[in-house]
């Protein structure tokens, strides 16, 4: 039983230690890295928007044909 309690107390300490190590390793991106990430996100938005637009463009006429324009 004592070992279970010790293990239970050790978990938050280990979590806190891992968290502080992670935060110490984190650094702010430089300008070049930030621009590259921003471009990738922007391209992702455009691609996903285009896919959604194309799907909606195809879906509306097909839906009208199936439903019959009620």
């Amino acid at each position: 039983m004592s070992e279970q309690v010790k293990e239970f107390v050790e978990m938050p300490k280990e979590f806190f230690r891992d968290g502080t190590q992670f935060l110490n390793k984190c650094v702010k991106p430089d300008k070049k890295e930030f621009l590259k990430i921003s471009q990738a996100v922007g391209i992702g938005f455009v691609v996903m928007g285009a896919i959604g637009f194309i799907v909606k463009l195809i879906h509306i006429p097909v839906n009208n044909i199936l439903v019959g324009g009620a």
Side-chain angles (χ1 to χ4, degrees):
M1 187 72 170
S2 165
E3 192 168 313
Q4 288 179 344
V5 172
K6 186 178 179 182
E7 208 174 293
F8 185 73
V9 171
E10 188 66 30
M11 287 175 64
K13 289 180 183 178
E14 186 178 330
F15 178 76
F16 183 74
R17 187 172 7 101
D18 290 344
T20 54
Q21 286 177 352
F22 175 74
L23 288 177
N24 288 336
K25 287 181 182 178
C26 291
V27 293
K28 287 177 73 173
D30 59 348
K31 187 176 181 179
K32 183 179 177 184
E33 187 179 5
F34 178 75
L35 288 175
K36 197 160 193 99
I37 292 169
S38 298
Q39 287 174 346
V41 170
I43 290 171
F45 271 111
V46 170
V47 168
M48 292 301 290
I51 291 171
F53 179 74
I54 291 169
V55 167
K56 189 150 187 131
L57 197 64
I58 293 170
H59 175 72
I60 291 173
V62 170
N63 192 24
N64 284 340
I65 291 169
L66 293 175
V67 175

